[in-house]
Amino acid sequence: MRAAALESGRSVDQVTLMGASKGQPASVLASALAAGVHDFGESYVQDALPKMAALAQAPEPGAAITWHFIGAVQANKTRAVAEHFAWVHGVDRLRIAARLSEQRPYHAAPLNLCVQVRIGAEGSKGGAEPHEVPQLLRDIARLPRLKLRGLMCLPPPETERARQQHWLHQLRQLFESVNADGAGLDTLSMGMSADLEAAIHEGATLVRIGTDLFGPRVAPPSPSHIQSA
Ligand SMILES: *Cc1c(COP(=O)(O)O)cnc(C)c1O
C-alpha cells in the first residue's frame, strides 16, 4: 500500500486497510488485529456474529475494531446489519437504505453507508447504475440514522493494470462529479487483492483485502449461507 501510494503521489495515511475476513476464523482476525488491522469486512451476518463475540473477549477488548458489512444486503437481513455493524458497503436501493435507517438502534452512532455502483456491465456484480446514483444519494442523505460516506464497486475481474484502472477510473469520476455537486462524500471503497495498486492510483480511500492478507479463505460459505445471506 505504501509503495502504491508513493508511486501515485499520495500518502498511505489516506488509505484505510480493511481485512476482508469473510471465510476466516476468529483466531485469524485476532492475529491481524494484533498486527494493526482494525477494520474487518464480513459478508454473512451469521458468520460475523460469533467472530464479533470472540473478538470482544480478546485480551485487548474489541473497542478498536470497526466492523464493515460487505455482502449483498437483502431485505430480511437489514435489521441484523443495522444492529451489529458500523459500516455497510453494498447498498444499491433506497428501500434497503430506508430499512437500515429505520432499524438502526437509537443508542448507536449513525450507520456509515457506501452506495454500490455497477461498473462494467458484464461480469460485474450488483450495484446501482451510474446514472441513478446522484438521485439515490440525495434520497439516502435524507434518512436520519445513516451517514452517507461514499461509493463502492466490484469491477469486472481484470489482470492487466490498464484494464483495472479503466474500470476504477469510472467510479472515481462519478465520485468527483457527485462531490462537485455537493454530495460531500469522503470514502472511495475500491481495491481488492488483485487490483490494490490500481485502486490506490485511482484515489481509493479504503481497500478491501482478503486473499493477500489472510491467504485462501479456509471456510468458504456453504450454499445455505449464500441463499440466506
Ligand atoms: C471478499 C471480498 C473482498 C476481498 O477479495 P480478495 O480478492 O480476497 O482480496 C473485497 N470486497 C468484497 C466485497 C468481498 O466480498
Side-chain angles (χ1 to χ4, degrees):
M1 286 175 65
R2 181 166 287 117
L6 210 66
E7 177 211 285
S8 311
R10 303 182 62 205
S11 158
V12 75
D13 301 338
Q14 299 170 333
V15 191
T16 299
L17 170 62
M18 175 216 293
S21 52
K22 46 132 191 264
Q24 301 293 346
S27 57
V28 168
L29 278 67
S31 305
L33 178 64
V37 178
H38 291 274
D39 290 78
F40 293 104
E42 292 282 333
S43 310
Y44 306 97
V45 171
Q46 60 270 55
D47 291 345
L49 297 185
K51 296 187 209 180
M52 289 176 178
L55 285 164
Q57 285 164 8
E60 264 188 86
I65 299 178
T66 301
W67 293 97
H68 301 252
F69 190 78
I70 58 173
V73 193
Q74 286 171 4
N76 63 344
K77 285 285 152 48
T78 50
R79 182 174 298 280
V81 170
E83 287 179 353
H84 296 285
F85 289 82
W87 283 71
V88 55
H89 290 249
V91 177
D92 59 6
R93 275 163 293 162
L94 181 60
R95 189 170 76 91
I96 296 290
R99 287 177 68 98
L100 289 167
S101 177
E102 236 167 72
Q103 294 168 346
R104 181 68 169 172
Y106 277 92
H107 57 79
L111 178 65
N112 296 291
L113 184 145
C114 290
V115 165
Q116 183 174 350
V117 183
R118 182 189 296 279
I119 294 293
E122 244 172 275
S124 61
K125 299 185 218 158
E129 298 297 332
H131 71 87
E132 302 169 343
V133 169
Q135 186 60 49
L136 183 57
L137 293 176
R138 284 192 288 273
D139 291 339
I140 291 177
R142 291 195 198 95
L143 298 170
R145 302 291 299 141
L146 303 179
K147 186 165 185 187
L148 188 52
R149 297 298 295 269
L151 303 180
M152 176 271 207
C153 74
L154 282 169
E158 302 278 2
T159 48
E160 249 177 76
R161 167 79 181 251
R163 295 292 300 162
Q164 295 172 343
Q165 267 176 230
H166 168 75
W167 297 124
L168 297 165
H169 190 73
Q170 297 186 5
L171 192 67
R172 179 204 201 135
Q173 277 186 315
L174 183 60
F175 181 79
E176 287 175 354
S177 120
V178 295
N179 270 347
D181 288 339
L185 305 181
D186 63 9
T187 302
L188 196 45
S189 168
M190 61 187 194
M192 312 184 10
S193 295
D195 60 2
L196 166 75
E197 289 84 0
I200 290 178
H201 186 79
E202 288 297 337
T205 66
L206 187 150
V207 294
R208 311 178 309 262
I209 308 299
T211 315
D212 276 4
L213 197 56
F214 303 121
R217 290 182 257 286
V218 290
S222 66
S224 69
H225 284 106
I226 289 169
Q227 277 167 14
S228 60

Short mmCIF file of all heavy atoms in Angstrom, two decimals, residues 20 22 43 70 152 154 192-193 208-211 217, ligand 1:
data_model
loop_
_atom_site.label_atom_id
_atom_site.label_comp_id
_atom_site.label_asym_id
_atom_site.label_seq_id
_atom_site.Cartn_x
_atom_site.Cartn_y
_atom_site.Cartn_z
N ALA A 20 -10.75 -8.11 4.51
CA ALA A 20 -11.99 -8.78 4.08
C ALA A 20 -11.94 -10.19 4.66
O ALA A 20 -11.37 -11.10 4.08
CB ALA A 20 -12.11 -8.78 2.56
N LYS A 22 -14.26 -12.43 5.66
CA LYS A 22 -15.27 -13.50 5.46
C LYS A 22 -14.55 -14.81 5.15
O LYS A 22 -13.56 -14.83 4.41
CB LYS A 22 -16.20 -13.14 4.32
CG LYS A 22 -15.48 -12.62 3.09
CD LYS A 22 -15.91 -13.27 1.79
CE LYS A 22 -14.96 -12.88 0.68
NZ LYS A 22 -15.38 -11.76 -0.12
N SER A 43 -19.20 -10.77 5.03
CA SER A 43 -20.25 -10.83 4.00
C SER A 43 -21.51 -11.56 4.46
O SER A 43 -22.51 -11.52 3.76
CB SER A 43 -19.74 -11.54 2.76
OG SER A 43 -18.50 -11.01 2.36
N ILE A 70 -19.90 -6.20 4.00
CA ILE A 70 -19.52 -6.04 2.59
C ILE A 70 -20.28 -7.00 1.67
O ILE A 70 -20.00 -7.07 0.49
CB ILE A 70 -17.99 -6.19 2.38
CG1 ILE A 70 -17.49 -7.56 2.85
CG2 ILE A 70 -17.23 -5.06 3.06
CD1 ILE A 70 -16.01 -7.82 2.51
N MET A 152 -18.82 2.52 -3.63
CA MET A 152 -18.11 1.24 -3.61
C MET A 152 -18.35 0.53 -4.94
O MET A 152 -19.42 0.72 -5.54
CB MET A 152 -18.65 0.43 -2.44
CG MET A 152 -18.12 -0.97 -2.28
SD MET A 152 -19.05 -2.21 -3.19
CE MET A 152 -18.72 -3.64 -2.18
N LEU A 154 -17.41 -3.35 -7.27
CA LEU A 154 -16.75 -4.64 -7.53
C LEU A 154 -16.62 -4.70 -9.05
O LEU A 154 -17.51 -5.20 -9.72
CB LEU A 154 -17.64 -5.79 -7.06
CG LEU A 154 -17.70 -6.11 -5.57
CD1 LEU A 154 -18.82 -7.08 -5.28
CD2 LEU A 154 -16.38 -6.68 -5.10
N MET A 192 -9.17 -4.63 -4.30
CA MET A 192 -9.12 -5.93 -3.64
C MET A 192 -7.71 -6.48 -3.88
O MET A 192 -6.85 -5.75 -4.37
CB MET A 192 -10.21 -6.84 -4.23
CG MET A 192 -11.53 -6.10 -4.26
SD MET A 192 -13.03 -6.93 -4.80
CE MET A 192 -12.70 -8.64 -4.94
N SER A 193 -7.49 -7.74 -3.55
CA SER A 193 -6.12 -8.26 -3.67
C SER A 193 -5.54 -8.05 -5.07
O SER A 193 -4.39 -7.66 -5.22
CB SER A 193 -6.08 -9.75 -3.32
OG SER A 193 -6.43 -9.93 -1.96
N ARG A 208 -10.25 -3.20 0.32
CA ARG A 208 -10.83 -4.38 0.97
C ARG A 208 -10.01 -5.60 0.55
O ARG A 208 -10.18 -6.11 -0.55
CB ARG A 208 -12.29 -4.53 0.54
CG ARG A 208 -13.12 -3.24 0.67
CD ARG A 208 -14.55 -3.46 0.18
NE ARG A 208 -14.59 -4.06 -1.13
CZ ARG A 208 -14.75 -3.38 -2.27
NH1 ARG A 208 -14.93 -2.08 -2.27
NH2 ARG A 208 -14.75 -4.02 -3.42
N ILE A 209 -9.12 -6.03 1.43
CA ILE A 209 -8.16 -7.07 1.05
C ILE A 209 -8.43 -8.36 1.81
O ILE A 209 -8.42 -8.38 3.05
CB ILE A 209 -6.71 -6.60 1.32
CG1 ILE A 209 -6.45 -5.23 0.68
CG2 ILE A 209 -5.72 -7.64 0.82
CD1 ILE A 209 -6.60 -5.19 -0.83
N GLY A 210 -8.69 -9.44 1.07
CA GLY A 210 -8.90 -10.75 1.68
C GLY A 210 -7.70 -11.65 1.47
O GLY A 210 -6.83 -11.80 2.32
N THR A 211 -7.64 -12.25 0.29
CA THR A 211 -6.64 -13.28 -0.02
C THR A 211 -5.20 -12.85 0.25
O THR A 211 -4.43 -13.61 0.84
CB THR A 211 -6.78 -13.68 -1.51
OG1 THR A 211 -8.17 -13.84 -1.80
CG2 THR A 211 -6.06 -14.98 -1.79
N ARG A 217 -9.46 -18.40 1.54
CA ARG A 217 -10.49 -18.48 2.57
C ARG A 217 -10.63 -19.92 3.01
O ARG A 217 -10.82 -20.81 2.20
CB ARG A 217 -11.81 -17.95 2.00
CG ARG A 217 -11.73 -16.44 1.79
CD ARG A 217 -13.00 -15.83 1.28
NE ARG A 217 -12.97 -15.52 -0.14
CZ ARG A 217 -12.30 -14.49 -0.68
NH1 ARG A 217 -11.59 -13.70 0.08
NH2 ARG A 217 -12.34 -14.28 -1.97
C1 LIG B 1 -14.10 -10.98 -0.42
C2 LIG B 1 -14.23 -9.58 -0.80
C3 LIG B 1 -13.11 -8.77 -0.99
C4 LIG B 1 -11.67 -9.28 -0.90
O1 LIG B 1 -11.35 -10.07 -2.01
P1 LIG B 1 -9.86 -10.64 -2.23
O2 LIG B 1 -9.77 -10.81 -3.68
O3 LIG B 1 -9.78 -11.93 -1.48
O4 LIG B 1 -8.90 -9.63 -1.71
C5 LIG B 1 -13.32 -7.42 -1.27
N1 LIG B 1 -14.56 -6.90 -1.37
C6 LIG B 1 -15.65 -7.65 -1.21
C7 LIG B 1 -16.99 -7.02 -1.33
C8 LIG B 1 -15.54 -9.00 -0.92
O5 LIG B 1 -16.64 -9.75 -0.77
#
